[in-house]
Amino acid sequence: MQLKGKSVIGPILSVVLPIGVFEWVRSLGTKDVSLVVPAGHFHIVTIVAALAMLVAIGVGITGHRLRNIQVGFMSIAYLSLSGVFFLHGLTTPGFLMHEDYMPKIFAQLSVLLTAVWLALSAVSSDHWSVRLMSKWRILLLPGWLVLLGVLCALTIRYPDAIDHLPLTINPYKWIAGAATGAACLWTMYRYWHANQHGRIPLQQAIVYSTGLIVASQYIILMGSAWKLSWWLYHFLLLGSLLTMLLGLVRQYFSKGSFSTSLRILFQSDPRAWLEEWITPSVHALIMATEARDSYTAGHNKRVALYALRLGEVMGLTKHQLQAIAHGGVVHDVGKLRVPDSILNKRGKLTTEERLVIERHPVSGYEICRQLGFLRDELSIIRSHHEKWDGTGYPDRLSGEGIPLLARITAVADVYDALTSSRSYRLAMSHEDAMEIILSGSGVHFDPMCVMAWEKLASIDAQFFAEIAASDRTLHLAHSHKAAQ
């Protein structure tokens, strides 16, 4: 509780401190001078907002390549912020437009739309609304960009029409402000709460970034145009965007050079993606999982590699293969919530202990749905222990009711468990493990997956030998480290 108490101070300060500075400057009276510089406002805001739009578009492309709907929604949020704020600068009186109310409308509209999209990014990725939008995720960013373009065109062509947006008059400006504040505070809480266990850079950044938007909203409502105190919110919104961008870079571009990360990101080979694009946060989850039991070191990655190769033999699409890599490598992350006394018990588990173990797919599902994992990845995490005959767990699914990618991962998971040493037994040979896999066809495993697995074993025996060799090397390293 003490840690949580400390962790909440920063987010609170991100809201309170800027508002305090604003109120202090405003209290100076005549020293809160008017800086009426329309030319500076026009050029600086318009140029910075245009550059920020390019950054937001880049973030959206990154989110799509990473198969992360959370990052996709974030990009649209900051595209809304920069795009509508571009109109805020473009409508500076005395240049293209002469109406002094238009910049105020677009300032309010920018933070309102940003708050809505950020709130959506904080919704669990298995929510029906997010699942629906995920089906069209490739169109979300370009579609929203087109809508912003239409808004820009309408503003220039029919400026009087914008007057119908009552965002600067009572009581509507207070309603819009309250909606923005509520959405932002809810978003901050969701990301703060989800980040208590993982310490994920992007989630931390969004908490602070959203706090700056709340402070900006306050200044938009309470500030007087052109005053020194009023200018503060322009810098806060820019700071909000930069904070998010810093979190994104820390999370996804922290290994190797930036250019190398980009090159790997845009490769179509899911194996290269698996090797290089396991983010620090996901890597930390994997390490934390495997640290609970040294005998499972490397298990998650091996399962992902086995499943990936099996998926290739079965002719899966590039996107399905990426999903297998992404979901397979964290399929057992729910074991973080299983007590050590049960997870590492050498004897037979009691019925109650077995039930605790059987909850780990659901626990992993709950962790990863807060991280923006898509439906295919979540299905692997939740359903890789389901059995073809319906006797698996946690949902007792059967046959083709089990998602295909989970059926593929189930074969890979069992094979690796059989051919890896455990605290209670030595590893089986490849041949003995294959016999068990084949005998489980139509009972434990999807017969189609077993046929493909048998084909893989016959055409690529070297693949199994290479992974077995890497497994032995890894365990020798762990044994040497333990001996020291």
Side-chain angles (χ1 to χ4, degrees):
M1 290 302 292
Q2 188 177 6
L3 177 61
K4 287 190 176 184
K6 289 182 179 179
S7 68
V8 81
I9 294 175
I12 291 175
L13 287 177
S14 71
V15 177
V16 174
L17 190 59
I19 291 176
V21 172
F22 165 75
E23 289 293 352
W24 174 70
V25 175
R26 195 165 66 140
S27 70
L28 296 177
T30 56
K31 292 183 179 179
D32 185 16
V33 296
S34 293
L35 297 176
V36 184
V37 284
H41 184 270
F42 176 83
H43 291 106
I44 294 173
V45 173
T46 304
I47 293 172
V48 171
L51 292 174
M53 286 177 66
L54 295 178
V55 171
I57 292 171
V59 171
I61 295 172
T62 300
H64 178 72
R65 295 295 299 182
L66 290 171
R67 291 181 54 83
N68 191 300
I69 193 64
Q70 187 179 76
V71 176
F73 287 153
M74 288 177 190
S75 74
I76 297 176
Y78 291 98
L79 180 62
S80 302
L81 179 63
S82 55
V84 180
F85 213 67
F86 173 79
L87 286 173
H88 170 78
L90 204 63
T91 54
T92 303
F95 290 84
L96 298 180
M97 304 290 165
H98 300 285
E99 296 82 355
D100 61 358
Y101 60 82
M102 294 183 72
K104 300 175 184 177
I105 289 177
F106 289 123
Q108 179 61 66
L109 184 61
S110 69
V111 293
L112 177 59
L113 291 176
T114 302
V116 170
W117 281 104
L118 281 176
L120 191 57
S121 78
V123 175
S124 299
S125 57
D126 64 338
H127 190 273
W128 67 267
S129 60
V130 178
R131 288 171 60 178
L132 179 63
M133 298 181 78
S134 296
K135 294 179 180 179
W136 303 97
R137 65 192 181 91
I138 193 171
L139 299 176
L140 287 178
L141 184 65
W144 193 250
L145 190 59
V146 168
L147 286 177
L148 291 176
V150 170
L151 178 61
C152 183
L154 289 175
T155 300
I156 295 173
R157 183 69 180 85
Y158 304 105
D160 292 340
I162 304 302
D163 193 29
H164 293 294
L165 292 174
L167 295 177
T168 59
I169 59 175
N170 294 327
Y172 305 106
K173 71 174 186 179
W174 298 104
I175 294 174
T180 300
C184 285
L185 291 174
W186 182 82
T187 301
M188 290 180 71
Y189 172 76
R190 290 280 292 183
Y191 278 112
W192 173 82
H193 186 267
N195 194 51
Q196 290 307 298
H197 301 291
R199 299 299 179 196
I200 297 169
L202 184 56
Q203 291 189 344
Q204 289 177 320
I206 293 299
V207 171
Y208 290 96
S209 178
T210 308
L212 295 179
I213 292 175
V214 175
S216 299
Q217 173 64 88
Y218 180 88
I219 298 173
I220 289 171
L221 288 175
M222 305 301 294
S224 300
W226 304 112
K227 290 286 189 179
L228 181 62
S229 56
W230 171 85
W231 280 95
L232 177 61
Y233 86 84
H234 295 73
F235 297 102
L236 291 177
L237 291 179
L238 177 60
S240 175
L241 176 68
L242 293 177
T243 300
M244 179 278 299
L245 186 60
L246 178 62
L248 187 79
V249 170
R250 285 181 60 207
Q251 178 150 334
Y252 293 112
F253 294 90
S254 62
K255 295 191 299 182
S257 69
F258 189 80
S259 60
T260 300
S261 297
L262 282 179
R263 176 179 55 78
I264 294 168
L265 176 62
F266 286 93
Q267 282 185 353
S268 59
D269 181 8
R271 191 168 286 101
W273 186 95
L274 176 62
E275 293 290 341
E276 300 292 342
W277 266 93
I278 300 303
T279 68
S281 52
V282 171
H283 182 73
L285 288 174
I286 297 169
M287 291 299 98
T289 304
E290 296 186 350
R292 306 285 301 284
D293 180 4
S294 61
Y295 286 92
T296 64
H299 170 70
N300 291 285
K301 186 176 179 180
R302 291 195 303 272
V303 168
L305 287 170
Y306 283 132
L308 190 57
R309 189 70 183 92
L310 178 56
E312 289 172 340
V313 172
M314 296 179 68
L316 297 188
T317 67
K318 178 185 71 176
H319 296 300
Q320 287 175 313
L321 292 174
Q322 287 177 334
I324 277 188
H326 201 191
V329 81
V330 292
H331 72 283
D332 270 345
V333 72
K335 287 183 178 179
L336 285 172
R337 296 182 178 175
V338 178
D340 287 336
S341 59
I342 297 176
L343 189 62
N344 296 314
K345 185 176 180 180
R346 292 178 179 270
K348 185 177 180 181
L349 296 174
T350 66
T351 301
E352 292 75 17
E353 290 170 338
R354 171 58 59 184
L355 290 174
V356 172
I357 285 284
E358 292 183 359
R359 285 289 301 171
H360 86 265
V362 176
S363 298
Y365 174 90
E366 291 172 348
I367 291 171
C368 290
R369 69 176 183 165
Q370 300 295 334
L371 300 178
F373 280 56
L374 293 177
R375 183 178 183 180
D376 284 342
E377 286 89 331
L378 291 176
S379 72
I380 293 170
I381 296 163
R382 186 179 184 106
S383 302
H384 67 276
H385 280 297
E386 300 291 355
K387 295 183 179 180
W388 186 257
D389 65 1
T391 61
Y393 61 87
D395 301 310
R396 300 296 187 264
L397 302 179
S398 63
E400 294 186 358
I402 305 170
L404 174 60
L405 302 189
R407 285 180 260 154
I408 292 172
T409 305
V411 176
D413 186 37
V414 171
Y415 176 84
D416 186 71
L418 294 173
T419 55
S420 301
S421 295
R422 292 291 184 266
S423 59
Y424 48 87
R425 63 161 175 78
L426 295 175
M428 285 188 183
S429 67
H430 168 74
E431 292 72 22
D432 289 342
M434 285 298 298
E435 283 188 19
I436 292 177
I437 296 293
L438 294 175
S439 67
S441 178
V443 181
H444 189 153
F445 308 112
D446 177 356
M448 180 176 65
C449 294
V450 174
M451 288 177 60
W453 186 257
E454 187 176 21
K455 178 182 177 181
L456 172 61
S458 65
I459 65 175
D460 197 358
Q462 183 63 26
F463 168 71
F464 292 92
E466 289 174 355
I467 294 185
S470 67
D471 181 30
R472 286 193 296 272
T473 301
L474 181 63
H475 276 287
L476 283 174
H478 274 273
S479 299
H480 180 68
K481 186 176 180 180
Q484 289 180 328

